[in-house]
Amino acid sequence: MLMNFTGKLLIAPPKVKQGFWYKSVIFITEDHINGSMGLLLNKRSSVSVAEFTEQIGERMNIPGYIYVGGPVNIKALTMLHSSEWSCTNTMNINQTFSISSSDDLLPRLSEGDAPKHFRLFLGLCGWAPAQLQEEYEGAPPRDKNSSWLIANSNLDLVFHHDLKDQWLQSLEKSSNDFVQSIFD
């Protein structure tokens, strides 16, 4: 059965012991016939947002860090945020989450015009048509024992956890969602 992954979390299973995807949690922003895209939530860079803005010739006192959104298009700045805020190119993912990448994004944040919840990313994750479904199912030549786990997303899990803690909390959410699906 084909699943729509939009708005879901992909979690690297404990069997993945090394490499780029080790203990990763990915928020899927798009999943359709042309492929899938997402943002790696828990790979924080060592660069603060203030340091990043200074590197691009601006001085903005915006709290937080820049996150490594994935290995594709690593120079593209994207903000995953709560849906009460928008700009000229905001794409709503669902009722709770949106993404934006407008040129006026950083100046607006610097002026205090910010969503309640947000995280800034450089890069993204991308999958060819049907690739994400095949990875999730563990379709050959992939290993079923190391295929992605899945969980429903929520504001707390996406924005209030980080690094290994976010991975552990996502694993727990995935198992709780699985158990709940049995009783639904």
Side-chain angles (χ1 to χ4, degrees):
M1 180 173 134
L2 290 180
M3 177 181 289
N4 185 337
F5 294 95
T6 303
K8 304 275 188 199
L9 298 177
L10 292 183
I11 304 121
K15 188 148 187 140
V16 175
K17 300 285 186 197
Q18 60 187 358
F20 186 80
W21 306 111
Y22 174 68
K23 293 187 178 180
S24 62
V25 178
I26 302 167
F27 181 90
I28 301 300
T29 59
E30 294 182 62
D31 183 38
H32 44 69
I33 195 164
N34 297 320
S36 306
M37 293 176 46
L39 295 166
L40 186 54
L41 293 176
N42 65 331
K43 302 285 182 182
R44 185 173 67 196
S45 77
S46 60
V47 179
S48 71
V49 177
E51 291 168 332
F52 173 75
T53 59
E54 191 173 310
Q55 289 175 9
I56 60 171
E58 301 287 337
R59 284 198 176 269
M60 299 177 188
N61 190 18
I62 303 169
Y65 286 86
I66 298 292
Y67 286 76
V68 178
V72 178
N73 204 7
I74 60 172
K75 293 184 179 183
L77 181 69
T78 304
M79 181 172 72
L80 177 65
H81 58 90
S82 48
S83 289
E84 84 286 345
W85 187 90
S86 66
C87 65
T88 56
N89 72 345
T90 296
M91 181 180 88
N92 291 324
I93 297 166
N94 55 31
Q95 296 291 333
T96 308
F97 298 97
S98 297
I99 58 171
S100 300
S101 61
S102 177
D103 288 341
D104 68 342
L105 186 72
L106 292 174
R108 283 182 65 184
L109 293 177
S110 182
E111 293 167 3
D113 180 9
K116 289 180 186 171
H117 307 280
F118 71 91
R119 195 169 277 185
L120 294 167
F121 299 87
L122 285 175
L124 54 93
C125 302
W127 292 265
Q131 180 183 356
L132 182 54
Q133 183 75 35
E134 291 170 1
E135 287 181 12
Y136 173 68
E137 293 172 353
R142 296 159 183 88
D143 179 3
K144 252 186 180 321
N145 295 318
S146 61
S147 60
W148 295 108
L149 302 173
I150 192 163
N152 292 314
S153 60
N154 61 51
L155 289 170
D156 180 60
L157 193 51
V158 170
F159 295 114
H160 299 133
H161 294 280
D162 203 1
L163 308 170
K164 183 180 175 185
D165 176 59
Q166 192 164 36
W167 180 72
L168 291 170
Q169 294 296 320
S170 297
L171 283 175
E172 184 176 334
K173 177 80 168 108
S174 177
S175 64
N176 290 340
D177 288 354
F178 176 75
V179 169
Q180 185 63 40
S181 73
I182 294 171
F183 295 107
D184 285 345

mmCIF file of all heavy atoms in Angstrom, residues 139-162:
data_model
loop_
_atom_site.group_PDB
_atom_site.id
_atom_site.type_symbol
_atom_site.label_atom_id
_atom_site.label_comp_id
_atom_site.label_asym_id
_atom_site.label_seq_id
_atom_site.Cartn_x
_atom_site.Cartn_y
_atom_site.Cartn_z
ATOM 1 N N ALA A 139 12.485 -2.665 -0.025
ATOM 2 C CA ALA A 139 12.448 -3.388 -1.295
ATOM 3 C C ALA A 139 13.874 -3.645 -1.795
ATOM 4 O O ALA A 139 14.740 -2.789 -1.649
ATOM 5 C CB ALA A 139 11.662 -2.583 -2.326
ATOM 6 N N PRO A 140 14.134 -4.833 -2.372
ATOM 7 C CA PRO A 140 15.462 -5.136 -2.893
ATOM 8 C C PRO A 140 15.932 -4.053 -3.858
ATOM 9 O O PRO A 140 15.118 -3.511 -4.592
ATOM 10 C CB PRO A 140 15.270 -6.468 -3.623
ATOM 11 C CG PRO A 140 14.073 -7.086 -2.955
ATOM 12 C CD PRO A 140 13.194 -5.924 -2.573
ATOM 13 N N PRO A 141 17.185 -3.702 -3.825
ATOM 14 C CA PRO A 141 18.305 -4.333 -3.122
ATOM 15 C C PRO A 141 18.514 -3.826 -1.697
ATOM 16 O O PRO A 141 19.530 -4.105 -1.066
ATOM 17 C CB PRO A 141 19.503 -3.937 -3.990
ATOM 18 C CG PRO A 141 19.142 -2.564 -4.474
ATOM 19 C CD PRO A 141 17.637 -2.607 -4.680
ATOM 20 N N ARG A 142 17.561 -3.107 -1.145
ATOM 21 C CA ARG A 142 17.689 -2.579 0.217
ATOM 22 C C ARG A 142 17.475 -3.680 1.243
ATOM 23 O O ARG A 142 16.852 -4.687 0.975
ATOM 24 C CB ARG A 142 16.674 -1.455 0.427
ATOM 25 C CG ARG A 142 16.943 -0.271 -0.478
ATOM 26 C CD ARG A 142 15.707 0.578 -0.651
ATOM 27 N NE ARG A 142 15.947 1.666 -1.564
ATOM 28 C CZ ARG A 142 15.801 1.594 -2.875
ATOM 29 N NH1 ARG A 142 15.425 0.463 -3.433
ATOM 30 N NH2 ARG A 142 16.044 2.622 -3.636
ATOM 31 N N ASP A 143 17.947 -3.427 2.448
ATOM 32 C CA ASP A 143 17.816 -4.371 3.553
ATOM 33 C C ASP A 143 16.586 -4.017 4.382
ATOM 34 O O ASP A 143 16.508 -2.935 4.951
ATOM 35 C CB ASP A 143 19.080 -4.297 4.415
ATOM 36 C CG ASP A 143 19.048 -5.219 5.618
ATOM 37 O OD1 ASP A 143 18.080 -5.981 5.779
ATOM 38 O OD2 ASP A 143 20.011 -5.156 6.404
ATOM 39 N N LYS A 144 15.617 -4.927 4.452
ATOM 40 C CA LYS A 144 14.383 -4.688 5.224
ATOM 41 C C LYS A 144 14.680 -4.367 6.692
ATOM 42 O O LYS A 144 13.943 -3.622 7.329
ATOM 43 C CB LYS A 144 13.490 -5.923 5.163
ATOM 44 C CG LYS A 144 12.272 -5.768 4.322
ATOM 45 C CD LYS A 144 11.427 -7.020 4.504
ATOM 46 C CE LYS A 144 10.166 -7.116 3.774
ATOM 47 N NZ LYS A 144 9.279 -6.112 3.559
ATOM 48 N N ASN A 145 15.751 -4.919 7.227
ATOM 49 C CA ASN A 145 16.089 -4.713 8.638
ATOM 50 C C ASN A 145 16.656 -3.333 8.930
ATOM 51 O O ASN A 145 16.805 -2.960 10.092
ATOM 52 C CB ASN A 145 17.078 -5.785 9.113
ATOM 53 C CG ASN A 145 16.458 -7.155 9.093
ATOM 54 O OD1 ASN A 145 15.311 -7.332 9.483
ATOM 55 N ND2 ASN A 145 17.205 -8.140 8.601
ATOM 56 N N SER A 146 16.994 -2.578 7.901
ATOM 57 C CA SER A 146 17.509 -1.227 8.143
ATOM 58 C C SER A 146 16.690 -0.179 7.393
ATOM 59 O O SER A 146 17.175 0.907 7.117
ATOM 60 C CB SER A 146 18.991 -1.137 7.774
ATOM 61 O OG SER A 146 19.173 -1.416 6.403
ATOM 62 N N SER A 147 15.434 -0.511 7.074
ATOM 63 C CA SER A 147 14.578 0.461 6.399
ATOM 64 C C SER A 147 14.062 1.487 7.405
ATOM 65 O O SER A 147 14.076 1.272 8.615
ATOM 66 C CB SER A 147 13.421 -0.237 5.678
ATOM 67 O OG SER A 147 12.632 -0.959 6.587
ATOM 68 N N TRP A 148 13.604 2.623 6.877
ATOM 69 C CA TRP A 148 13.157 3.727 7.707
ATOM 70 C C TRP A 148 12.011 3.333 8.635
ATOM 71 O O TRP A 148 11.114 2.600 8.246
ATOM 72 C CB TRP A 148 12.654 4.884 6.839
ATOM 73 C CG TRP A 148 13.691 5.533 5.994
ATOM 74 C CD1 TRP A 148 13.821 5.437 4.637
ATOM 75 C CD2 TRP A 148 14.731 6.412 6.432
ATOM 76 N NE1 TRP A 148 14.883 6.194 4.210
ATOM 77 C CE2 TRP A 148 15.459 6.804 5.292
ATOM 78 C CE3 TRP A 148 15.118 6.896 7.673
ATOM 79 C CZ2 TRP A 148 16.544 7.664 5.360
ATOM 80 C CZ3 TRP A 148 16.200 7.756 7.735
ATOM 81 C CH2 TRP A 148 16.901 8.125 6.595
ATOM 82 N N LEU A 149 12.035 3.883 9.835
ATOM 83 C CA LEU A 149 10.888 3.838 10.733
ATOM 84 C C LEU A 149 10.105 5.120 10.486
ATOM 85 O O LEU A 149 10.640 6.094 9.960
ATOM 86 C CB LEU A 149 11.347 3.754 12.185
ATOM 87 C CG LEU A 149 12.237 2.559 12.520
ATOM 88 C CD1 LEU A 149 12.767 2.678 13.933
ATOM 89 C CD2 LEU A 149 11.484 1.253 12.323
ATOM 90 N N ILE A 150 8.849 5.143 10.883
ATOM 91 C CA ILE A 150 8.017 6.310 10.618
ATOM 92 C C ILE A 150 7.248 6.697 11.875
ATOM 93 O O ILE A 150 6.924 5.835 12.700
ATOM 94 C CB ILE A 150 7.068 6.039 9.431
ATOM 95 C CG1 ILE A 150 6.427 7.332 8.971
ATOM 96 C CG2 ILE A 150 6.050 4.990 9.771
ATOM 97 C CD1 ILE A 150 5.822 7.241 7.593
ATOM 98 N N ALA A 151 6.996 7.993 12.024
ATOM 99 C CA ALA A 151 6.199 8.491 13.159
ATOM 100 C C ALA A 151 5.419 9.715 12.702
ATOM 101 O O ALA A 151 5.829 10.424 11.781
ATOM 102 C CB ALA A 151 7.093 8.864 14.343
ATOM 103 N N ASN A 152 4.305 9.946 13.354
ATOM 104 C CA ASN A 152 3.567 11.191 13.139
ATOM 105 C C ASN A 152 4.352 12.318 13.798
ATOM 106 O O ASN A 152 4.958 12.131 14.852
ATOM 107 C CB ASN A 152 2.166 11.095 13.735
ATOM 108 C CG ASN A 152 1.311 10.099 12.979
ATOM 109 O OD1 ASN A 152 1.279 10.094 11.758
ATOM 110 N ND2 ASN A 152 0.638 9.233 13.706
ATOM 111 N N SER A 153 4.325 13.483 13.188
ATOM 112 C CA SER A 153 5.064 14.624 13.728
ATOM 113 C C SER A 153 4.174 15.464 14.627
ATOM 114 O O SER A 153 2.950 15.391 14.551
ATOM 115 C CB SER A 153 5.609 15.479 12.583
ATOM 116 O OG SER A 153 4.544 15.953 11.786
ATOM 117 N N ASN A 154 4.814 16.245 15.488
ATOM 118 C CA ASN A 154 4.120 17.256 16.287
ATOM 119 C C ASN A 154 5.121 18.359 16.613
ATOM 120 O O ASN A 154 6.330 18.176 16.474
ATOM 121 C CB ASN A 154 3.473 16.652 17.541
ATOM 122 C CG ASN A 154 4.466 16.013 18.480
ATOM 123 O OD1 ASN A 154 5.468 16.616 18.863
ATOM 124 N ND2 ASN A 154 4.208 14.763 18.864
ATOM 125 N N LEU A 155 4.603 19.515 17.019
ATOM 126 C CA LEU A 155 5.475 20.673 17.281
ATOM 127 C C LEU A 155 6.548 20.367 18.312
ATOM 128 O O LEU A 155 7.709 20.754 18.151
ATOM 129 C CB LEU A 155 4.651 21.873 17.731
ATOM 130 C CG LEU A 155 3.795 22.542 16.660
ATOM 131 C CD1 LEU A 155 2.838 23.558 17.288
ATOM 132 C CD2 LEU A 155 4.656 23.218 15.604
ATOM 133 N N ASP A 156 6.178 19.692 19.385
ATOM 134 C CA ASP A 156 7.141 19.390 20.442
ATOM 135 C C ASP A 156 8.293 18.542 19.915
ATOM 136 O O ASP A 156 9.462 18.868 20.124
ATOM 137 C CB ASP A 156 6.436 18.685 21.608
ATOM 138 C CG ASP A 156 7.405 18.357 22.728
ATOM 139 O OD1 ASP A 156 8.011 19.307 23.288
ATOM 140 O OD2 ASP A 156 7.568 17.155 23.039
ATOM 141 N N LEU A 157 7.977 17.482 19.226
ATOM 142 C CA LEU A 157 9.009 16.571 18.738
ATOM 143 C C LEU A 157 9.904 17.238 17.690
ATOM 144 O O LEU A 157 11.115 17.041 17.679
ATOM 145 C CB LEU A 157 8.347 15.321 18.148
ATOM 146 C CG LEU A 157 9.213 14.123 17.859
ATOM 147 C CD1 LEU A 157 10.052 13.733 19.069
ATOM 148 C CD2 LEU A 157 8.337 12.948 17.449
ATOM 149 N N VAL A 158 9.335 18.078 16.848
ATOM 150 C CA VAL A 158 10.108 18.714 15.779
ATOM 151 C C VAL A 158 10.962 19.875 16.284
ATOM 152 O O VAL A 158 12.119 20.010 15.898
ATOM 153 C CB VAL A 158 9.167 19.183 14.642
ATOM 154 C CG1 VAL A 158 9.904 20.053 13.631
ATOM 155 C CG2 VAL A 158 8.539 17.975 13.946
ATOM 156 N N PHE A 159 10.433 20.701 17.174
ATOM 157 C CA PHE A 159 11.143 21.930 17.549
ATOM 158 C C PHE A 159 11.747 21.950 18.949
ATOM 159 O O PHE A 159 12.592 22.786 19.228
ATOM 160 C CB PHE A 159 10.215 23.144 17.395
ATOM 161 C CG PHE A 159 9.807 23.397 15.976
ATOM 162 C CD1 PHE A 159 8.487 23.261 15.588
ATOM 163 C CD2 PHE A 159 10.739 23.748 15.017
ATOM 164 C CE1 PHE A 159 8.095 23.499 14.280
ATOM 165 C CE2 PHE A 159 10.366 23.982 13.700
ATOM 166 C CZ PHE A 159 9.045 23.853 13.334
ATOM 167 N N HIS A 160 11.327 21.076 19.835
ATOM 168 C CA HIS A 160 11.810 21.149 21.218
ATOM 169 C C HIS A 160 12.748 20.021 21.609
ATOM 170 O O HIS A 160 13.086 19.875 22.788
ATOM 171 C CB HIS A 160 10.630 21.224 22.187
ATOM 172 C CG HIS A 160 9.791 22.433 21.955
ATOM 173 N ND1 HIS A 160 8.436 22.390 21.880
ATOM 174 C CD2 HIS A 160 10.132 23.727 21.730
ATOM 175 C CE1 HIS A 160 7.958 23.592 21.643
ATOM 176 N NE2 HIS A 160 8.981 24.424 21.535
ATOM 177 N N HIS A 161 13.177 19.256 20.645
ATOM 178 C CA HIS A 161 14.178 18.213 20.867
ATOM 179 C C HIS A 161 15.273 18.404 19.837
ATOM 180 O O HIS A 161 15.063 19.034 18.801
ATOM 181 C CB HIS A 161 13.556 16.816 20.754
ATOM 182 C CG HIS A 161 12.563 16.523 21.834
ATOM 183 N ND1 HIS A 161 12.931 16.139 23.098
ATOM 184 C CD2 HIS A 161 11.218 16.599 21.845
ATOM 185 C CE1 HIS A 161 11.851 15.975 23.839
ATOM 186 N NE2 HIS A 161 10.787 16.248 23.097
ATOM 187 N N ASP A 162 16.428 17.830 20.119
ATOM 188 C CA ASP A 162 17.565 18.031 19.241
ATOM 189 C C ASP A 162 18.517 16.840 19.335
ATOM 190 O O ASP A 162 18.476 16.073 20.302
ATOM 191 C CB ASP A 162 18.295 19.322 19.654
ATOM 192 C CG ASP A 162 19.117 19.916 18.527
ATOM 193 O OD1 ASP A 162 19.135 19.359 17.418
ATOM 194 O OD2 ASP A 162 19.746 20.954 18.762
#
